[in-house]
Amino acid sequence: MKKITLLLAAITLFSCKSPAQEKKDTAKETYKVSKTEAQWKAELSEMEYYVLREEGTERAGSSPLDKIYDPGTFICAACNTPLFESEHKFDSGTGWPSFDRPIEGNVAFGSDTKLGYSREEEHCATCGGHLGHVFNDGPRETTGKRHCINGVSLNFIPKGEKLPAIE
């Protein structure tokens, strides 16, 4: 009888679904800028939608923003939130725009395990749009971080031009 009780207890313990086992559903999170998937599809290009809403990755070397080092601000392509300043951009040699730090408070972080190991993922804190990932192989003389960002998730506003309103 003791063995059956222990067996039933073990089955119950291991079959219970805990919150830790649930997949994070960022689509249900509430952001300051929140739209339906149909609205996002209507407003974004196919590639922007793939990266920003489906957490895809653009091909390395495909973004012209990778080679822009002019003074200015890189903003979210989905909602216009300022995300990175060009003074913190560097050539990582990866083929994606890279920065050693974001604009404080405008980028949200989470965990991505899609490749079988954990990576720190970045999203726009205003609309939840997927931006890229953070790695610990950035410039040692500054933060040591490399914010590896999909260029299609950004727009560049040169210094002196007015930043568009967040929408």
Side-chain angles (χ1 to χ4, degrees):
M1 186 69 166
K2 240 182 183 183
K3 288 182 183 180
I4 292 174
T5 304
L6 283 173
L7 179 62
L8 288 174
I11 290 171
T12 303
L13 257 174
F14 291 109
S15 66
C16 290
K17 187 174 181 183
S18 75
Q21 294 169 319
E22 293 176 15
K23 184 181 177 200
K24 182 180 173 190
D25 186 0
T26 56
K28 293 186 179 174
E29 290 185 29
T30 303
Y31 294 96
K32 182 178 173 184
V33 172
S34 186
K35 301 177 184 184
T36 66
E37 290 310 305
Q39 288 172 311
W40 285 123
K41 278 187 178 182
E43 293 178 18
L44 301 172
S45 72
E46 189 176 320
M47 184 55 109
E48 287 171 334
Y49 184 84
Y50 170 67
V51 171
L52 287 159
R53 307 314 308 168
E54 296 180 332
E55 299 182 344
T57 301
E58 69 186 357
R59 193 179 82 253
S62 66
S63 175
L65 294 183
D66 184 36
K67 298 301 178 195
I68 291 181
Y69 294 94
D70 299 334
T73 304
F74 292 85
I75 65 173
C76 177
C79 72
N80 299 330
T81 296
L83 301 171
F84 301 95
E85 296 292 350
S86 61
E87 67 190 82
H88 302 294
K89 189 170 189 287
F90 65 96
D91 185 359
S92 65
T94 62
W96 288 283
S98 297
F99 304 86
D100 68 357
R101 72 195 77 172
I103 294 174
E104 190 71 33
N106 291 358
V107 174
F109 301 91
S111 184
D112 169 13
T113 57
K114 290 182 216 88
L115 295 179
Y117 59 92
S118 187
R119 299 183 296 170
E120 191 172 8
E121 187 171 45
E122 295 184 72
H123 287 85
C124 173
T126 304
C127 72
H130 171 73
L131 303 172
H133 295 87
V134 185
F135 300 97
N136 290 319
D137 59 1
R140 295 285 170 227
E141 62 276 4
T142 60
T143 64
K145 301 286 185 186
R146 174 174 53 99
H147 297 262
C148 187
I149 307 301
N150 290 283
V152 72
S153 68
L154 303 172
N155 287 323
F156 177 70
I157 307 300
K159 186 174 182 169
E161 285 189 25
K162 187 177 180 194
L163 294 174
I166 295 173
E167 49 182 63

